[in-house]
Amino acid sequence: SQELEQSPQSLIVQEGKNLTINCTSSKTLYGLHWYKQKYGEGLIFLMMLQQGGEEKSHEKITAKLDEKKQQSFLHITASQPSHAGIYLCGGDAQ
């Protein structure tokens, strides 16, 4: 079975600082999705990565999938209060 692991489990960041969240899969992925959940609300889809080495950006959030398609990171530049919430990765294994 495929397992996805995120690190760090939780993060407290000062406003204006950068942060990175990692997502590692036990199997090769053919699609990796990043979501955000604000407290008490539903999931918000951020972006999907499908190609090895692919990188996408939306506003101050950048996500990248590594060449082996087993690891992704989500990087937030100059964090703002609006970035607060729970970030989740999801994946489709081959």
Side-chain angles (χ1 to χ4, degrees), residues 2-25:
Q2 175 213 4
E3 290 183 14
L4 285 172
E5 188 175 322
Q6 282 182 234
S7 63
Q9 292 290 318
S10 64
L11 203 56
I12 297 172
V13 180
Q14 286 183 308
E15 187 175 340
K17 299 287 187 186
N18 298 344
L19 67 114
T20 301
I21 304 166
N22 288 291
C23 178
T24 305
S25 172

Side-chain angles (χ1 to χ4, degrees), residues 6-64:
Q6 282 182 234
S7 63
Q9 292 290 318
S10 64
L11 203 56
I12 297 172
V13 180
Q14 286 183 308
E15 187 175 340
K17 299 287 187 186
N18 298 344
L19 67 114
T20 301
I21 304 166
N22 288 291
C23 178
T24 305
S25 172
S26 59
K27 293 186 178 179
T28 301
L29 299 166
Y30 60 88
L32 185 128
H33 318 253
W34 279 103
Y35 299 91
K36 176 185 177 182
Q37 185 172 25
K38 290 190 175 183
Y39 300 106
E41 298 180 20
L43 289 178
I44 300 163
F45 172 76
L46 296 175
M47 55 193 86
M48 179 172 73
L49 302 165
Q50 292 180 295
Q51 306 297 321
E54 185 177 7
E55 186 173 308
K56 284 186 179 176
S57 294
H58 177 67
E59 294 172 352
K60 291 183 174 182
I61 300 175
T62 301
K64 186 169 184 177

Side-chain angles (χ1 to χ4, degrees), residues 1 8 17 24 44 59 68-69 72 75 80 83 86 89:
S1 65
K17 299 287 187 186
T24 305
I44 300 163
E59 294 172 352
K68 293 181 179 178
K69 299 203 284 187
S72 178
H75 185 73
Q80 299 298 314
H83 290 125
I86 299 167
C89 64

